[in-house]
């Protein structure tokens, strides 16, 4: 028998799986997850992204295979990113109501898999020939207000195609207010906006740029995306988006910014989303391929950390593969 007088023994609540399940503080559910999908012009395309094993570009005629897998896994929501056939200075495919790749994809999904909730990324970096998130001046500066006008056109085209939610990601000043105004005036006052409210200029985006060929042709995006060194600025950005009508606030990336997720959760009452970005996904995949880590266990632990920090919603490339393990 023990000779120690221990009044508290926390291990009692860790002794078996039954008690651990009973007292677990944070839960990861499949209903928390959103699966990103890359859709491309063309036909018979199912092209794996080299830096993101298991993630593919899909043409519309090949998309149902992915949608079936997502549905069978129990993931209820997707977010769409497009690879256009042609790029130009203003990214006109992004607001092409009839022929734009995202607009066509939304209509396809709503017809073939109407149970899926469809969110659309609203930005221009995939669609412009210069790779920046809007209209550029001759000297290479991103022009804020002309970009707002195009964001209004893009958001309306997505709404008219049948999108359930729009998600602007460019970190353009006033983007939420401009889009909310355009949507409301066109009768889409009930269409929610999930704002990439706090988006950092991050090295974790590398594989995504590979996926959609969106690397800037000159300069970088530090003049509009946030400095990774700044935390208080995140509260300023989020507060502006709340004031302008955002319905959900997102932090991107997630893993290296869990302090920011927690800060947004503590300071605002809106739902908080975290984007488990491409670089975070690729690192797990690369380590698992070497046999260095247990892929599913590590991926689950990472997503759980985002929930623990305060995220209500997680956008993750692991959604399809992990959802079957979740309730």
């Amino acid at each position: 028998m023990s000779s120690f007088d221990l009044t508290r023994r926390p291990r009692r609540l860790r002794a078996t799986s039954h008690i651990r399940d009973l007292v677990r503080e944070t839960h990861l559910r499949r209903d928390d997850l959103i699966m990103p999908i890359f859709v491309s012009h063309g036909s018979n395309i199912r092209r794996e992204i080299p830096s993101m094993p298991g993630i593919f570009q899909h043409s519309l005629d090949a998309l149902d295979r992915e949608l079936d897998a997502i549905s069978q896994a129990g993931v209820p929501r997707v977010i769409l990113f497009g690879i256009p056939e042609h790029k130009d200075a203003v990214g006109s495919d992004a607001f092409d109501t009839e022929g734009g790749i995202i607009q066509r994809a939304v209509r396809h999904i709503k017809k073939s898999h109407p149970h899926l909730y469809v969110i659309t990324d609203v930005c221009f970096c995939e669609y412009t020939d210069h790779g920046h998130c809007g209209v550029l001046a001759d000297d290479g500066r991103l022009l804020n207000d002309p970009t707002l006008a195009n964001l209004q056109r893009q958001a309306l085209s997505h709404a008219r195609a049948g999108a359930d939610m729009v998600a602007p990601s460019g970190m353009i000043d006033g983007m939420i207010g401009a889009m909310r105004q355009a949507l409301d005036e066109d009768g889409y006052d009930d269409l929610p906006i999930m704002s990439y409210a706090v988006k950092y200029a991050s090295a974790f985006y590398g594989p995504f740029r590979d996926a959609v060929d969106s690397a800037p042709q000159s300069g970088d995006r530090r003049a509009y995306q946030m400095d990774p060194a700044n935390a208080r600025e995140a509260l300023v950005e989020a507060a502006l988006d709340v004031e302008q009508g955002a319905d959900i606030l997102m932090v991107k990336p997630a893993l290296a910014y869990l302090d920011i997720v927690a800060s947004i959760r503590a300071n605002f009452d809106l739902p908080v989303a975290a984007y488990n970005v491409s670089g975070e996904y690729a690192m797990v995949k690369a380590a698992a391929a070497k046999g260095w880590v247990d892929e599913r266990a590590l991926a689950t632990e990472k997503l759980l950390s985002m929930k623990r920090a305060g995220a209500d919603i997680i956008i993750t490339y692991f959604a399809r593969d992990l959802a079957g393990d979740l309730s």
Side-chain angles (χ1 to χ4, degrees), residues 36-259:
I37 300 179
F38 298 104
V39 290
S40 173
H41 278 284
S43 60
N44 198 31
I45 294 172
R46 187 175 184 268
R47 183 184 301 119
E48 188 170 29
I49 299 160
S51 56
M52 300 177 68
I55 304 298
F56 297 80
Q57 296 174 349
H58 309 270
S59 56
L60 295 185
D61 62 341
L63 182 58
D64 285 350
R65 175 178 173 180
E66 177 72 5
L67 299 175
D68 288 344
I70 290 169
S71 298
Q72 289 167 11
V75 179
R77 301 168 192 86
V78 297
I79 184 168
L80 303 183
F81 299 90
I83 300 97
E85 186 173 14
H86 301 292
K87 302 188 179 191
D88 58 32
V90 296
S92 58
D93 187 280
F95 46 79
D96 182 345
T97 300
E98 295 302 320
I101 184 58
I102 291 296
Q103 294 81 351
R104 291 171 59 208
V106 172
R107 291 193 292 267
H108 175 90
I109 296 171
K110 284 301 173 183
K111 183 177 180 180
S112 68
H113 291 72
H115 59 282
L116 286 176
Y117 189 88
V118 179
I119 306 164
T120 57
D121 179 74
V122 181
C123 194
F124 292 102
C125 60
E126 303 106 300
Y127 306 94
T128 55
D129 54 14
H130 46 71
H132 283 282
C133 299
V135 180
L136 291 191
D138 291 340
D139 62 3
R141 291 179 298 110
L142 180 69
L143 297 175
N144 196 89
D145 293 6
T147 298
L148 290 178
N150 285 347
L151 282 171
Q152 290 179 314
R153 297 173 67 185
Q154 187 180 14
L156 281 175
S157 72
H158 290 185
R160 291 166 181 166
D164 296 300
M165 180 186 290
V166 291
S169 61
M171 291 300 290
I172 307 301
D173 290 346
M175 64 184 185
I176 301 303
M179 290 172 55
R180 187 73 273 163
Q181 178 185 8
L183 290 168
D184 289 357
E185 289 177 354
D186 208 57
Y188 294 100
D189 51 289
D190 59 348
L191 190 76
I193 299 176
M194 176 168 61
S195 177
Y196 290 65
V198 183
K199 182 178 180 181
Y200 286 88
S202 172
F204 282 100
Y205 302 149
F208 178 90
R209 293 170 184 173
D210 180 27
V212 296
D213 187 27
S214 65
Q217 298 302 301
S218 62
D220 53 46
R221 298 184 180 130
R222 288 181 293 179
Y224 42 101
Q225 294 178 358
M226 283 183 54
D227 185 341
N230 292 357
R232 294 190 302 273
E233 185 183 12
L235 299 179
V236 174
E237 290 284 1
L240 287 169
D241 284 0
V242 171
E243 180 182 313
Q244 292 170 34
D247 299 287
I248 298 172
L249 301 173
M250 187 197 302
V251 176
K252 180 181 180 182
L255 190 62
Y257 297 87
L258 295 180
D259 60 320

Side-chain angles (χ1 to χ4, degrees), residues 52 202 204-205 252-254 275-282 315 317:
M52 300 177 68
S202 172
F204 282 100
Y205 302 149
K252 180 181 180 182
Y275 199 139
N276 176 216
V277 298
S278 59
E280 298 167 6
Y281 173 86
I315 301 172
Y317 302 96

